[in-house]
């Protein structure tokens, strides 16, 4: 089967910032290699500051890589071709609070990508917005709400709604479940798995929640200090972690499940 | 010994549509040496309970309770000053976001030294005080497992990693040698190895110093690894409370069961990618709280009776509020 999304030798070097300091703190990411097929899920795990969010931004085109390439349906994504990418690879941000405009209603927030990228008329847009709100477990009347009227979990749903409203092929999500409550979280997980089955959506997500990572991902990428220290099939990594850091993660998780005493 | 005893705590907040019960007859009992988990989803009122305990509530809120005592002393009858005094010496609070509860422009060392009360130091001449403070501060940091503490003491909050920051908060919480630490979601958003360090640390201070901990969170994995008791909240109502292992083995309230089943890590029998069990619907907004049992519209067992708030029922240490609890089926 053909790859939906594949990444070859992607690297990024952060040479901005603290140059005036003695210790020039350079952050280099990569090289990163992976591929997913339609309907597959890749989880990116790793410590805070290991470059996970940066990798996500490279995938959706918010940052430019220094070298390497990204292919969507075996076709190389070029910088000039941003529209194609924007329509097909959508991002859900870590801090949905900051990424939602406080001054306009959720309905308008969700309509924006439709206005920019589709020919739907006003009525059709509203129908699509309401449909999408329902898909993510909100109510049609949430259209009239403002950001401050929502709980953290509800904000995350709006962010997810905004990502799927254009029917993309790949969703990249930075900690999509962290702010969600258990009962709502399992709904969202189910919702994503369902969308994947129905639409063949590729899903790439960053998470600290190894329980969910193990449950829904097919592949894992473990990152530390900008490097991929281990990658492979989820079950293989949980059963036979090779790298020291991966072992620590898996053991810490196992210890929590079994209880500390 | 019972430290904190709260019975039927109700807190009302005024909104456009009148007074809303943000907390509706909450019960919570914490005994000495306990690690008590307060579990509930976002907006269920966990932080408001914490605020009510430490007395940090707005004058515009209406607060009533049948009982609210700290080691036998009635907190509701006390003057604000008396209450502050007790809280300051007996209870420490760690907030969910360490960075925003620390002063951004004061070094961590100075913030830590500031909370060390004179009473915590050995008797001695005042010119020794500064030295003693410093010594006590580094002892505390050592105790919470911060290495290279000299460098961190000179740092500002934003210069250090989140988990170290949280350890600092715990060190500050320990400084006044409290009887109870309230940790409001202390591991939110942490990576698992950092998280398990914080949890181990809290467990250790609990064991070594016989300190009680009220652990507020919705991270069931974290909770079940450390807590011995658990109180479950839903939309400002206490739905079930009891020993952790009892609740995990045999939850009586439909919500507790749903909550426990929502964590894939607890389910060894779950095939990968199978749907997780979850309640339908969403948590209602505060403006549209259902009458009676607030779980009603989402509860698979709901019947007509549920429009009346269920009474608290008790089986030994285990309490629950539901008209049709899960053990009724077996009869
Ligand atoms: N100052 C306030 N004025 C009005 N309503 C408030 C205020 N503070 C909290 N609330 C409401 O009270 C409810 C409970 O809030 P609380 O902060 O206790 O939730 P929580 O259980 O701590 O949630 P989280 O897990 O997100 O921290 C929420 O619906 C919130 O909107
Ligand atoms: S009282 Fe009724 S609605 Fe509430 S949890 Fe029990 S069965 Fe469900
Ligand atoms: Mg809170």
């Amino acid at each position: 089967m053909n790859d939906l999304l594949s990444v070859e030798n992607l690297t990024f070097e952060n040479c901005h910032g603290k140059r005036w300091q003695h210790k020039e703190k350079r952050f280099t990411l990569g090289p990163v290699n992976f591929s997913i097929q339609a309907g597959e899920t890749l989880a990116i795990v790793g410590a805070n500051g290991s470059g996970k969010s940066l990798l996500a931004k490279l995938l959706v085109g918010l940052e430019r890589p220094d070298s390497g390439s990204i292919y969507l349906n075996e076709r190389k994504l070029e910088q000039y071709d941003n529209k194609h990418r924007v329509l097909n690879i959508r991002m859900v941000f870590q801090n949905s609070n900051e990424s939602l405009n406080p001054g306009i209603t959720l309905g308008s927030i969700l309509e924006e990508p439709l206005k920019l990228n589709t020919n739907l008329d006003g009525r059709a847009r509203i129908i699509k917005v309401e449909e999408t709100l329902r898909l993510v477990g909100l109510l049609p009347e949430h259209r009239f709400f403002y950001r401050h009227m929502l709980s953290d979990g509800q904000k995350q749903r709006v962010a997810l709604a905004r990502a799927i409203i254009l029917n993309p092929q790949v969703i990249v999500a930075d900690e999509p479940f962290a702010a969600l409550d258990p009962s709502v979280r399992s709904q969202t997980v189910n919702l994503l798995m369902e969308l994947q089955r129905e639409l063949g959506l590729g899903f790439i997500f960053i998470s600290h929640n190894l329980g969910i990572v193990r449950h829904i991902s097919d592949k894992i990428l473990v990152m530390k200090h900008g490097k991929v220290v281990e990658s492979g099939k989820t079950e293989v990594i949980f059963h036979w972690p090779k790298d020291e850091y991966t072992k620590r993660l898996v053991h810490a998780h196992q210890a929590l499940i079994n209880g500390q005493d | 010994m019972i430290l904190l005893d709260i019975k039927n705590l109700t807190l009302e907040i005024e909104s456009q549509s009148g007074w809303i019960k943000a907390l509706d007859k909450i019960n919570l009992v914490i005994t000495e040496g306990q690690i008590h988990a307060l579990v509930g989803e976002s907006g269920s009122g966990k932080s408001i309970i914490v605020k009510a305990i430490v007395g940090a509530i707005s004058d515009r809120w209406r607060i009533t309770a049948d009982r609210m005592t700290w080691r036998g002393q009635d907190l509701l009858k006390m003057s604000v000053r008396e209450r502050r005094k007790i809280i300051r010496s007996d209870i420490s609070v760690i907030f969910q976001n360490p960075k925003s509860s620390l002063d951004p422009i004061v070094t961590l060392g100075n913030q830590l030294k500031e909370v060390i009360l004179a009473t915590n130091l050995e008797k001695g001449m005042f010119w020794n005080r500064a030295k003693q403070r410093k010594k006590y501060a580094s002892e505390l940091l050592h105790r919470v497992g911060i290495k290279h503490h000299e460098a961190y003491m000179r740092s500002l909050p934003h210069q250090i990693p989140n988990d170290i920051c949280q350890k600092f908060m715990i060190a500050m919480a320990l400084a006044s040698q409290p009887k109870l630490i309230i940790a409001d979601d202390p591991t939110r958003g942490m990576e698992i190895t950092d998280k398990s360090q914080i949890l181990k640390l809290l467990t250790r201070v609990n064991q070594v110093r016989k300190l009680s901990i009220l652990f507020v969170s919705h991270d069931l994995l974290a909770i079940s690894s450390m807590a011995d008791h658990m109180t479950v909240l839903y939309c400002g109502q206490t739905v079930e409370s009891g020993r952790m292992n009892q609740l995990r083995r045999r939850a009586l309230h439909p919500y507790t069961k749903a909550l426990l089943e929502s964590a894939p890590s607890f389910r060894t029998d779950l095939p990968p990618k199978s749907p997780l069990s979850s309640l339908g619907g969403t948590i209602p907004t505060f403006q549209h709280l259902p009458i009676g049992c607030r779980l009603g519209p989402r509860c698979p067992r709901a019947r007509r009776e549920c429009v009346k708030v269920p009474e608290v029922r008790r089986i030994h240490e285990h309490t629950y509020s539901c008209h049709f609890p899960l053990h009724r089926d077996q009869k």
Side-chain angles (χ1 to χ4, degrees), chain B residues 253-254 293 295-296 299 301-302 306 310 322-324:
Chain B
H253 197 283
C293 174
L295 189 65
C299 179
R301 304 170 69 84
C306 302
C322 173
H323 292 296
F324 306 105

Side-chain angles (χ1 to χ4, degrees), chain B residues 119-137:
Chain B
T119 47
N120 301 134
L121 301 173
E122 304 148 40
K123 293 273 175 310
M125 293 306 171
F126 67 88
W127 57 82
N128 280 334
R129 283 286 153 85
K131 217 168 135 197
Q132 281 181 15
R133 274 219 160 98
K134 194 157 173 232
K135 185 159 154 271
Y136 188 47

Side-chain angles (χ1 to χ4, degrees), chain B residues 36-247:
Chain B
H36 196 116
L38 184 61
V39 191
E41 306 190 61
S42 203
S44 57
K46 304 183 297 293
S47 299
I48 295 195
I49 294 182
V50 173
K51 284 183 194 153
I53 294 172
V54 300
I57 44 173
S58 149
D59 308 331
R60 297 198 312 273
W61 297 354
R62 277 206 303 240
I63 177 165
T64 55
D66 291 350
R67 186 161 65 230
M68 190 156 163
T69 59
W70 173 253
R71 306 175 86 207
Q73 300 156 280
D74 193 340
L75 286 174
L76 291 173
K77 293 225 179 78
M78 256 173 230
S79 73
V80 177
R81 267 189 63 208
E82 280 174 313
R83 187 163 169 168
R84 289 246 166 86
K85 205 167 137 227
I86 289 186
I87 303 300
R88 204 170 136 86
S89 69
D90 288 357
I91 303 179
S92 293
V93 188
I94 304 168
F95 289 101
Q96 52 192 31
N97 194 342
K99 290 212 170 143
S100 61
S101 41
L102 288 166
D103 190 332
I105 55 166
V106 179
T107 63
L108 288 165
N110 284 340
Q111 297 194 50
L112 176 58
K113 282 184 227 158
E114 212 168 278
V115 295
I116 298 174
L117 305 178
T119 47
N120 301 134
L121 301 173
E122 304 148 40
K123 293 273 175 310
M125 293 306 171
F126 67 88
W127 57 82
N128 280 334
R129 283 286 153 85
K131 217 168 135 197
Q132 281 181 15
R133 274 219 160 98
K134 194 157 173 232
K135 185 159 154 271
Y136 188 47
S138 46
E139 252 174 55
L140 284 169
L141 292 179
H142 186 76
R143 208 182 286 153
V144 298
I146 293 185
K147 291 169 205 139
H148 318 299
H149 65 264
E150 295 285 345
Y152 287 131
M153 295 257 272
R154 285 192 301 269
S155 310
L156 295 172
H158 72 268
Q159 293 168 324
I160 66 169
N162 219 17
D163 58 308
I164 305 272
C165 223
Q166 197 54 283
K167 286 182 182 169
F168 244 96
M169 293 294 292
I170 296 176
M172 284 171 66
L174 290 173
S176 57
Q177 303 179 339
K179 307 259 182 325
L180 172 71
I181 288 189
I182 302 178
D184 191 350
D185 219 345
T187 56
R188 175 176 269 189
M190 270 189 201
E191 191 234 338
I192 184 132
T193 52
D194 297 337
K195 187 198 299 188
S196 71
Q197 272 192 39
I198 299 287
L199 297 179
K200 276 189 192 137
L201 174 60
L202 287 172
T203 313
R204 200 168 63 231
V205 295
N206 162 260
Q207 282 161 356
V208 176
R209 329 195 79 215
K210 289 266 177 299
L211 195 99
S212 302
I213 297 173
L214 179 63
F215 188 82
V216 181
S217 172
H218 58 226
D219 183 345
L220 286 161
L221 204 50
I223 287 164
S224 67
S225 76
M226 67 181 306
D228 39 50
H229 281 73
M230 168 156 102
T231 294
V232 185
L233 283 184
Y234 183 78
C235 283
Q237 295 177 330
T238 16
V239 301
E240 190 162 8
S241 179
R243 296 190 73 85
M244 188 71 217
N245 49 15
Q246 181 115 37
L247 260 59

Side-chain angles (χ1 to χ4, degrees), chain A residues 39-41 46-48 136-139 142 145 149 151-154 157 175 178-187 189-190 193 196-197 208-212 214-218 235 245 248-250 252-253 255-257 259-261, chain B residues 40-43 46 96 162 188-197 199-200 203 207 218-222 224-226 234 248 255 258-259 262-266 270-285 288 298:
Chain A
E40 266 193 333
T41 301
N48 298 102
V136 297
L138 294 168
L139 305 167
H142 276 114
F145 279 46
M149 297 158 83
S151 73
D152 292 352
Q154 290 169 327
R157 285 165 174 247
E175 288 279 6
L180 298 184
D181 300 301
S183 80
V184 178
R185 180 165 56 210
S186 36
Q187 284 177 13
V189 168
N190 291 346
M193 290 194 293
Q196 272 191 299
R197 264 196 309 274
H208 288 313
N209 187 328
L210 294 187
I212 288 183
R214 184 171 193 169
H215 187 65
I216 70 173
S217 69
D218 301 283
E235 276 314 299
Y245 176 65
R248 276 205 290 139
L249 284 183
V250 171
H253 177 63
L256 279 190
I257 294 178
Q260 286 169 0
D261 28 27
Chain B
E41 306 190 61
S42 203
K46 304 183 297 293
Q96 52 192 31
N162 219 17
R188 175 176 269 189
M190 270 189 201
E191 191 234 338
I192 184 132
T193 52
D194 297 337
K195 187 198 299 188
S196 71
Q197 272 192 39
L199 297 179
K200 276 189 192 137
T203 313
Q207 282 161 356
H218 58 226
D219 183 345
L220 286 161
L221 204 50
S224 67
S225 76
M226 67 181 306
Y234 183 78
R248 264 190 80 177
Y255 181 69
L259 203 58
S262 72
S265 309
F266 288 157
L270 201 66
K273 297 213 175 202
S274 56
L276 301 173
S277 68
S278 72
L279 292 173
T282 49
I283 304 165
T285 58
H288 298 102
R298 302 179 69 194

Side-chain angles (χ1 to χ4, degrees), chain B residues 293-309:
Chain B
C293 174
R294 291 181 178 175
L295 189 65
R298 302 179 69 194
C299 179
R301 304 170 69 84
R303 283 185 240 165
R304 200 176 332 119
E305 289 87 330
C306 302
V307 296
K308 284 219 315 255
V309 180

Side-chain angles (χ1 to χ4, degrees), chain A residues 230 234-243 246-247 250:
Chain A
E230 193 163 354
T234 302
E235 276 314 299
V236 175
I237 286 187
F238 271 96
H239 280 115
W240 301 282
K242 286 205 279 293
D243 176 78
T246 319
K247 281 184 190 162
V250 171

